[in-house]
Amino acid sequence: DSGDAWDLFKLLDQDGSGKIELEEFVNGFMKLRGHAKSIDIAKLSYENKQMRRRLAEFMGNCEVSLNSIFRAVRSIGSSTERLQSS
């Protein structure tokens, strides 16, 4: 699968340069050797699900806060315009 190949490339490209140096290649494969146990995969899946839930909650909170700030700034702008026109 080409998606798997891309994921492997990103795992090996530790410095994010878009190139895999020999040291990155060797170190990356040394970390990946061995077989993943079912419990390892289940743990990663669980942690991923929890992280996605927390991220979605955080993004929702940010949206609420930004909307509140936007309304406050707009209200201040309207008040300022009224004071200037008086």
Side-chain angles (χ1 to χ4, degrees):
D1 182 345
S2 62
D4 290 340
W6 180 242
D7 289 340
L8 178 60
F9 178 85
K10 291 186 292 185
L11 286 171
L12 294 176
D13 183 24
Q14 296 172 352
D15 63 3
S17 66
K19 302 176 195 171
I20 300 173
E21 303 295 332
L22 179 60
E23 186 175 335
E24 289 176 311
F25 181 83
V26 172
N27 289 338
F29 271 100
M30 292 299 287
K31 289 179 185 176
L32 294 173
R33 72 178 178 197
H35 299 286
K37 298 177 187 172
S38 295
I39 190 70
D40 295 330
I41 294 171
K43 181 180 176 189
L44 287 173
S45 177
Y46 172 79
E47 290 171 351
N48 188 19
K49 185 184 293 184
Q50 294 302 313
M51 186 61 70
R52 286 193 332 256
R53 183 191 56 77
R54 289 175 43 205
L55 181 59
E57 184 179 328
F58 173 76
M59 290 171 53
N61 291 338
C62 286
E63 184 176 2
V64 168
S65 296
L66 287 172
N67 284 332
S68 177
I69 291 168
F70 177 73
R71 285 192 301 274
V73 168
R74 190 172 20 169
S75 175
I76 291 170
S78 297
S79 297
T80 304
E81 288 175 9
R82 284 191 296 249
L83 286 173
Q84 289 176 347
S85 66
S86 318

